[in-house]
Amino acid sequence: MKKIVLLSFLLFSFSLFSQKIEKITPKKCIPKKGYYLKLKSVFDDSRCPEGVTCVWAGEVSVIIEVYKDKQLIEEKRLTLNSKNKEENIKWLVNYLPESSKNIKWITVLPYPKEGIVVKPKKQFVSITYND
């Protein structure tokens, strides 16, 4: 009986705090209406690769292009680290739909692994937010 109650509680708590993920990719097709964020490039990736012990967590920089109604209106460099998380969130919410503005975390994926080079086309910015 205790296991059933515990399982029910876990399922209920996960449904209350469900998280969604939005992706900013280097995709070429841009919608005709509204805002659209496109990943232009990823650089200065000093994040500690999986399988390696590092002194600090590191950071990664990206350039994001902002389009409105298919027109480029802004290009912004974001450095993703723990120090400027709030500043990056403040900028991003200006261009996201209302349902996506409760941002909890921004990162670049895939995360680096020792000895593996990721092609730029495979990289994307992942934005995690609560419903």
Side-chain angles (χ1 to χ4, degrees), residues 36-64:
Y36 181 77
L37 300 174
K38 179 182 171 191
L39 177 63
K40 183 176 182 182
S41 64
V42 176
F43 58 98
D44 293 340
D45 192 349
S46 65
R47 297 176 293 170
C48 185
E50 290 179 13
V52 175
T53 304
C54 300
V55 177
W56 74 302
E59 61 187 25
V60 61
S61 295
V62 296
I63 294 180
I64 306 264

Side-chain angles (χ1 to χ4, degrees), residues 2-69:
K2 287 181 182 180
K3 288 181 182 179
I4 292 172
V5 171
L6 180 61
L7 183 60
S8 298
F9 175 75
L10 286 173
L11 289 173
F12 179 72
S13 64
F14 284 129
S15 65
L16 280 177
F17 302 106
S18 65
Q19 294 183 337
K20 302 266 184 181
I21 296 177
E22 196 81 29
K23 291 181 181 179
I24 301 173
T25 66
K27 187 177 175 182
K28 303 264 188 245
C29 183
I30 299 168
K32 292 180 181 178
K33 296 265 183 193
Y35 285 108
Y36 181 77
L37 300 174
K38 179 182 171 191
L39 177 63
K40 183 176 182 182
S41 64
V42 176
F43 58 98
D44 293 340
D45 192 349
S46 65
R47 297 176 293 170
C48 185
E50 290 179 13
V52 175
T53 304
C54 300
V55 177
W56 74 302
E59 61 187 25
V60 61
S61 295
V62 296
I63 294 180
I64 306 264
E65 295 176 327
V66 180
Y67 291 84
K68 183 175 184 190
D69 302 334

Side-chain angles (χ1 to χ4, degrees), residues 55-127:
V55 177
W56 74 302
E59 61 187 25
V60 61
S61 295
V62 296
I63 294 180
I64 306 264
E65 295 176 327
V66 180
Y67 291 84
K68 183 175 184 190
D69 302 334
K70 249 187 162 168
Q71 297 293 318
L72 178 65
I73 62 168
E74 185 177 356
E75 194 173 275
K76 176 78 170 176
R77 176 186 173 150
L78 299 177
T79 300
L80 305 176
N81 60 33
S82 58
K83 293 177 190 171
N84 58 7
K85 178 182 165 188
E86 294 304 317
E87 178 185 328
N88 291 335
I89 289 173
K90 190 183 255 186
W91 181 81
L92 276 168
V93 296
N94 293 314
Y95 305 108
L96 294 174
E98 195 63 40
S99 61
S100 305
K101 292 189 175 186
N102 194 10
I103 297 173
K104 297 299 173 198
W105 192 250
I106 307 162
T107 191
V108 174
L109 294 174
Y111 198 83
K113 292 183 181 178
E114 178 66 21
I116 297 175
V117 177
V118 178
K119 295 179 182 178
K121 289 182 180 181
K122 300 286 184 184
Q123 294 178 307
F124 62 93
V125 175
S126 174
I127 303 169

